[in-house]
Amino acid sequence: MNPVTLEVLRGQLDSAAEEMQVTLLKSSYSTIISESLDATSALFDHEGRTVAQAVSIPIHLGVLAELGRRFAVAYPEGKAVPGDVYAINDPYSGGTHLPDIAVASPVFFSDELVGYVVTMTHHQDIGGSVPGSTAIKVFDHFSEGLRIPMIRLVKGGEPDQDIIDLMMANSRTPNNIRGDLNAQLASCRTGVTRFAEIFRRWGTATVTEGMSELLAYAERLTRAEIEKIPDGEYEFEDFMDDDGSGPEADPIRFFVKMTISGSDIHFDFTGTADQVQTAINNVPYSAISSVFYAVRTLTGDAAPNNDGCYRPVSVHLPEGSIVNPRFPAPINARAVCLRRVIDTVLGVMAQAIPERMTAAHCGQSSLIHIGTVDEESGRRIVATVGGPWMGGMGARSGKDGIDVTDHDASNVFHMPVETSEAELPIRFHKVGLWKDSGGAGEWRGGLGYEEEFEWLRGEGIATVRRDRHKFAPWGLLGGKGGPYCKTKIARSGTESVDLPSKGVYALQSGDRIQLWTTGSGGHGSPLRRDPERVLSDVLDERISEDSAQNTYGVEISNGAVDPGATTARRAELERSPPGQQ
């Protein structure tokens, strides 16, 4: 195909996916979507292969690739009809966890099934034992909320109201689930219209050929980048604090071996911990998405967002492990585990190409869902506490990490604190950068943050999912790690006490929750950092003078770097690093 025509077609497919995404975000009811943008849209060909995906949630890459194929198998030509809408959230049948509901529609042109459009949205509450549907401790998967197999939600344009009513009846916030589901339907209608218009403009033969060529093009670009990695086997391990079952619970090991052979790349998770009793297990499609995201970083914007990027990639996930649990292991709180999968995959790639990879990111999301009842109206409220959710992004060769940004495979927005204060009876007393929380290095890790909020009235049930309280984000090529996270609660009128990284807590008026969220790892030895950058960090209150002197070896006098004293101090630290003096 003419390369100009191919690039124009690529742009139109991408534009259709992005228009779906805008429709979804602007029409949704829950703030976790409208503010934090926790949703994804994509286009698929008639075989269910991803041909375009909106720039949104990278962790949905592998999931949507799997669901696209499943939608195509369940509703192929002859079974699908125009106006249909299908839905699923079953994690053991291609989904992620129960709050993520995927909604799809078939696309027809000239009475022929030519593709599908799919949206996936995080619904605020889908039932289960706690508000927000992400309890850490549950008996099994059946305890976690409403499980939806592959179903036809709308047939030929006629919604099945009984199914919609059933979904609403199983949520603490039925208006939210109805509003967010309607947004998904609107997004699918937009996608069906735009996708069909592309076929109308170019014709079926041209579009079908173009989509196949775009898949092949993405594969070629990905293979070209993999070939730059030296052949061989590389290994890496990282740990989670525990499974959240109690303060004495053991750490959880994540291990991966990466094998590079020409333009093929294989990830083997043999050695990763067994599945656990709590709900932090990850179904395979989530873990595979972490791998796809990491490999996708090699090609950047050059490669189209389609299935071709993943053809050179293979993954082994041992059955019965925390990344491939046996049904009915609980999985709804899987996001906290997912972060460590990502860190481990990025870590093993950094063993092969450290100059192209970042040090560890913060490695956790401060996801706190709170449920309560409005005292005046009696309305049930379930919302996610706003402010930052993630700390710093890891440093990389030539650049410091980014402070307090939602990075790696989630790519959502931080929810404004004003939104939380409008939704929930809470008041934020502090949100700010946490000094010295970025790992020291020639290139400093991005900083994390500290936060404090107060519960104002009534009773709330808070589900806390955090990590990195025992295992810090790692540095790279001599860079230092970030500090440990901390979580505390100060009951009304009492001193604050430490909390574990995961748990469910009842809140009463006057209670305060305090968070310290780590930054990220540094890249390269801190003794090689430009002293003027160190001075700038001190003046900006990103690092302390003590850190400047004892970690970076920079002596500051009267607001300026003392070159002679700095040279002497760095020589001293080279001979006897901190902790050995």
Side-chain angles (χ1 to χ4, degrees):
M1 177 177 285
N2 182 301
V4 175
T5 300
L6 189 63
E7 189 63 24
V8 172
L9 178 60
R10 172 188 173 181
Q12 291 182 351
L13 292 170
D14 288 347
S15 179
E18 292 295 340
E19 187 173 349
M20 284 182 65
Q21 184 73 1
V22 171
T23 301
L24 180 59
L25 300 177
K26 297 297 184 183
S27 304
S28 291
Y29 193 90
S30 300
T31 54
I32 197 170
I33 309 167
S34 61
E35 294 283 358
S36 296
L37 316 187
D38 193 350
T40 303
S41 306
L43 309 181
F44 300 81
D45 67 8
H46 71 283
E47 297 179 18
R49 298 178 299 181
T50 313
V51 295
Q53 182 169 344
V55 178
S56 51
I57 310 290
I59 205 58
H60 289 168
L61 289 169
V63 175
L64 288 182
E66 175 66 22
L67 286 175
R69 289 187 285 270
R70 290 180 181 246
F71 281 122
V73 169
Y75 297 98
E77 180 89 49
K79 189 173 182 180
V81 298
D84 273 3
V85 177
Y86 319 118
I88 186 173
N89 77 340
D90 183 1
Y92 286 93
S93 297
T96 57
H97 63 164
L98 295 180
D100 283 347
I101 300 178
V103 173
S105 291
V107 181
F108 288 83
F109 175 67
S110 296
D111 298 323
E112 178 186 358
L113 178 65
V114 293
Y116 301 85
V117 295
V118 181
T119 65
M120 177 175 276
T121 284
H122 182 108
H123 288 258
Q124 190 71 72
D125 187 277
I126 198 75
S129 61
V130 298
S133 310
T134 54
I136 301 292
K137 298 179 184 179
V138 291
F139 184 77
D140 59 16
H141 184 48
F142 295 105
S143 310
E144 297 191 282
L146 179 66
R147 182 164 158 244
I148 306 169
M150 185 78 73
I151 60 171
R152 195 188 313 244
L153 191 63
V154 178
K155 184 173 184 178
E158 291 296 323
D160 189 327
Q161 193 58 46
D162 289 342
I163 293 179
I164 295 173
D165 289 345
L166 183 144
M167 294 169 67
M168 293 173 61
N170 278 271
S171 174
R172 295 173 178 84
T173 54
N175 288 337
N176 288 47
I177 202 167
R178 178 176 58 190
D180 295 338
L181 188 60
N182 283 340
Q184 288 185 270
L185 297 178
S187 176
C188 284
R189 284 194 294 270
T190 299
V192 167
T193 300
R194 295 293 180 256
F195 206 179
E197 286 176 353
I198 294 172
F199 278 89
R200 188 173 299 110
R201 175 173 181 177
W202 297 97
T204 301
T206 299
V207 176
T208 302
E209 179 189 0
M211 290 190 297
S212 293
E213 289 205 18
L214 286 170
L215 290 167
Y217 176 55
E219 180 183 2
R220 289 196 303 273
L221 290 178
T222 304
R223 288 191 179 279
E225 292 301 322
I226 294 172
E227 285 181 332
K228 297 176 183 178
I229 304 174
D231 281 359
E233 294 182 347
Y234 305 87
E235 298 179 351
F236 192 78
E237 67 177 4
D238 204 343
F239 293 85
M240 277 183 64
D241 296 343
D242 50 56
D243 65 2
S245 60
E248 304 304 320
D250 292 330
I252 299 174
R253 183 186 189 229
F254 292 80
F255 176 85
V256 64
K257 177 190 289 185
M258 180 180 73
T259 302
I260 303 293
S261 178
S263 65
D264 292 312
I265 185 168
H266 178 68
F267 295 84
D268 185 354
F269 283 81
T270 300
T272 293
D274 291 341
Q275 67 187 63
V276 296
Q277 292 183 339
T278 57
I280 65 170
N281 299 291
N282 260 267
V283 291
Y285 318 107
S286 287
I288 289 171
S289 290
S290 302
V291 172
F292 285 175
Y293 153 73
V295 174
R296 188 70 181 80
T297 62
L298 296 175
T299 53
D301 294 338
N305 253 347
N306 64 39
D307 270 9
C309 297
Y310 319 129
R311 289 174 176 173
V313 184
S314 58
V315 184
H316 174 65
L317 302 168
E319 185 179 0
S321 68
I322 197 171
V323 291
N324 186 8
R326 296 184 181 92
F327 181 82
I331 45 75
N332 268 15
R334 63 80 164 99
V336 66
C337 166
L338 195 60
R339 296 294 172 195
R340 201 60 65 251
V341 177
I342 294 166
D343 284 343
T344 308
V345 173
L346 294 176
V348 76
M349 292 179 69
Q351 305 309 299
I353 45 173
E355 72 285 350
R356 296 188 61 184
M357 305 304 296
T358 68
H361 306 313
C362 78
Q364 69 94 55
S365 300
S366 300
L367 293 172
I368 302 177
H369 299 308
I370 301 183
T372 188
V373 177
D374 184 81
E375 293 181 333
E376 295 182 358
S377 66
R379 179 174 61 92
R380 290 186 178 275
I381 302 169
V382 179
T384 306
V385 175
W389 288 349
M390 296 184 71
M393 179 178 176
R396 62 274 208 208
S397 179
K399 283 191 176 182
D400 291 342
I402 302 172
D403 300 334
V404 190
T405 179
D406 202 284
H407 43 262
D408 62 57
S410 56
N411 194 39
V412 299
F413 277 19
H414 292 149
M415 188 178 296
V417 296
E418 295 85 354
T419 299
S420 275
E421 291 180 337
E423 280 193 300
L424 293 166
I426 63 175
R427 178 183 297 124
F428 285 85
H429 290 276
K430 183 177 187 179
V431 179
L433 293 177
W434 181 13
K435 185 184 293 187
D436 285 331
S437 60
E442 180 178 8
W443 303 102
R444 176 184 44 74
L447 268 63
Y449 66 93
E450 49 185 318
E451 172 181 313
E452 179 178 339
F453 65 87
E454 178 183 0
W455 188 255
L456 298 179
R457 61 184 178 275
E459 182 179 25
I461 301 297
T463 303
V464 178
R465 288 181 292 158
R466 284 165 55 80
D467 204 69
R468 290 293 192 199
H469 286 53
K470 301 174 184 177
F471 297 92
W474 37 267
L476 196 58
L477 294 180
K480 306 298 183 182
Y484 299 126
C485 291
K486 295 183 289 184
T487 306
K488 294 176 179 283
I489 189 168
R491 297 295 185 182
S492 181
T494 66
E495 295 294 320
S496 61
V497 296
D498 291 332
L499 293 178
S501 56
K502 307 164 192 68
V504 178
Y505 307 99
L507 300 178
Q508 302 291 339
S509 177
D511 291 349
R512 296 190 181 200
I513 288 182
Q514 301 161 326
L515 310 175
W516 288 263
T517 297
T518 188
S520 57
H523 195 291
S525 169
L527 298 181
R528 293 202 304 267
R529 184 167 177 80
D530 184 344
E532 292 298 328
R533 288 183 178 272
V534 176
L535 174 63
S536 179
D537 283 346
V538 170
L539 296 177
D540 290 341
E541 298 186 357
R542 281 182 161 81
I543 69 172
S544 63
E545 290 193 27
D546 179 75
S547 178
Q549 181 183 50
N550 296 315
T551 304
Y552 289 94
V554 174
E555 296 285 355
I556 298 172
S557 177
N558 298 321
V561 174
D562 185 326
T566 294
T567 299
R569 180 58 178 154
R570 287 187 162 181
E572 180 184 2
L573 290 174
E574 287 277 10
R575 292 192 302 271
S576 180
Q580 300 179 19
Q581 298 177 19

